[in-house]
Amino acid sequence: SVNKPIVISTWDAGIAANVDAWKVLANGGRALDAVEKGVMVTESSINCCVGLGANPDRDGIVTLDASIMDEHGNAGAVAAIERIKHPISVARKVMENTPHVLLAGAGAQEFAISQGFQLEPQDLSPSARKAYKDWLKKSEYKPEINIEQAEGGNKSAFAPLKLDNGDWNHDTIGMLALDQAGNLSGSCTTSGMAFKVRGRVGDSPLIGAGLYVDNAYGAAVSTGLGEEVIKSAGTHLVVEFMRQGLSPDKACKLAVERIVSRTGSTKAKEFQVAFIALNKQGQVGAYAIQKGFSYARQDQKVNNELIASASMF
Ligand code: SD4
């Protein structure tokens, strides 16, 4: 029998996000509404990596990426949008109210305003201001960002970050839901990599990279070093493996292995990529390159618990 409804989302911030998503799902609501409402919780909170309180780019400006997909295969996304509190809701408006999939930068912001969204102040949150100040102190303005910086202990270099305890952490939120009607939807929202080059767009707003939903088979969302996810069309690959009959777990694992086979395992030891997946039967899966990745699960069997993902290293 189908395990529904269910919601899963990335990292520990997923716990709070799942609560709002579950309110929608438990009341028989649509998965699309659940995945929007859920990640709005994270966008409203102050944290390193999602919403206007997150870390800025290297010029000190917070720019946000988000995407959403529904059960009909419709998609909407915004890239590098500024001063808008809920990029996920703008992404949904792009999907529903335009003939397009992705709006970027100033145009995305203008569109948001035209849809009634409010322009928020440009200010950094106190935690982001401090992180940015620290980053400016240690880091010269280098256009080339590389993972060795993170390796060398500069925690504010190219995230996802290796923490002092050896774990890898980063907090883009990706969420997947299957509703009582048996329909799948997904969402993803992030500030991208901390101190990124201005204009940099990650995988999160790119359909098939950061997020993919095929209502006939399954859905997947990614977190980690977006550049590597983009180059492998990561979530499309995960869903394709599910379409071929593999379990969500196995599909995530094979997609991670594909990324690592492209970069080689020496390089792959220095960055994180993780996928979570949910299939049409309500089965879940996850896999990461590095240990330390977790996701939050809420359904009839598991009451919003954080689950440690399997990993390659
Ligand atoms: C990006 N994939 O912009 C995002 C960052 C992320 O957990 O997921 N971090 O590359």
Side-chain angles (χ1 to χ4, degrees), residues 1 8 11 31 38 92 107 113 130 134 143 222 228 231 271:
S1 71
I8 57 173
W11 303 109
R92 183 169 174 174
I113 293 165
K130 184 178 180 308
D134 288 350
S222 74
E228 295 306 332
K231 288 186 279 184
F271 67 87

Side-chain angles (χ1 to χ4, degrees), residues 5-292:
I6 177 169
V7 59
I8 57 173
S9 55
T10 56
W11 303 109
D12 32 355
I15 294 281
N18 280 0
V19 171
D20 277 26
W22 188 248
K23 282 181 200 154
V24 175
L25 295 170
N27 285 320
R30 192 176 167 199
L32 181 69
D33 293 322
V35 298
E36 180 190 8
K37 291 276 156 14
V39 302
M40 283 173 74
V41 172
T42 326
E43 288 180 340
S44 293
S45 74
I46 301 285
N47 64 76
C48 64
C49 315
V50 178
L52 289 176
N55 289 328
D57 66 17
R58 63 176 194 163
D59 291 359
I61 315 275
V62 176
T63 71
L64 304 174
D65 295 341
S67 65
I68 195 160
M69 275 189 92
D70 73 7
E71 70 273 26
H72 307 296
N74 296 315
V78 290
I81 195 170
E82 296 174 13
R83 298 177 60 187
I84 296 290
K85 189 172 176 185
H86 290 299
I88 196 64
S89 300
V90 185
R92 183 169 174 174
K93 295 284 191 204
V94 172
M95 175 173 80
E96 293 180 338
N97 296 349
T98 81
H100 308 304
V101 168
L102 172 61
L103 296 182
Q109 189 191 68
E110 273 167 36
F111 169 73
I113 293 165
S114 79
Q115 296 289 305
F117 291 82
Q118 211 187 305
L119 210 52
E120 306 292 335
Q122 186 104 62
D123 318 341
L124 297 182
S125 67
S127 50
R129 199 174 314 130
K130 184 178 180 308
Y132 183 53
K133 246 176 100 184
D134 288 350
W135 178 79
L136 283 177
K137 249 185 274 161
K138 283 186 214 152
S139 292
E140 289 126 52
Y141 255 39
K142 283 192 188 134
E144 276 171 52
I145 299 176
N146 61 60
I147 48 169
E148 279 76 39
Q149 283 180 293
E151 246 285 279
N154 181 353
K155 285 177 49 173
S156 53
F158 210 24
L161 308 173
K162 195 168 189 175
L163 303 176
D164 292 338
N165 68 6
D167 280 353
W168 293 72
N169 198 13
H170 201 270
D171 293 306
T172 290
I173 187 151
M175 177 177 277
L176 306 171
L178 179 70
D179 61 27
Q180 286 182 19
N183 286 318
L184 288 163
S185 290
S187 63
C188 188
T189 178
T190 188
S191 57
M193 295 301 173
F195 320 120
K196 60 196 175 185
V197 174
R198 184 147 180 75
R200 181 263 188 192
V201 171
D203 58 324
S204 304
L206 302 182
I207 301 304
L211 174 70
Y212 200 68
V213 176
D214 180 336
N215 198 40
Y217 298 98
V221 68
S222 74
T223 176
L225 183 58
E227 279 72 8
E228 295 306 332
V229 178
I230 293 169
K231 288 186 279 184
S232 293
T235 55
H236 186 271
L237 188 58
V238 173
V239 173
E240 178 58 22
F241 286 135
M242 290 193 284
R243 203 181 70 86
Q244 291 171 12
L246 298 179
S247 69
D249 258 332
K250 189 82 203 218
C252 291
K253 184 164 188 275
L254 285 187
V256 164
E257 285 171 0
R258 178 74 61 84
I259 288 176
V260 173
S261 75
R262 292 184 79 254
T263 65
S265 67
T266 307
K267 187 175 173 207
K269 289 204 168 94
E270 308 303 335
F271 67 87
Q272 175 67 300
V273 166
F275 296 106
I276 60 172
L278 175 63
N279 71 10
K280 191 72 176 166
Q281 285 72 46
Q283 298 165 324
V284 306
Y287 200 74
I289 300 179
Q290 314 292 341
K291 67 177 168 60

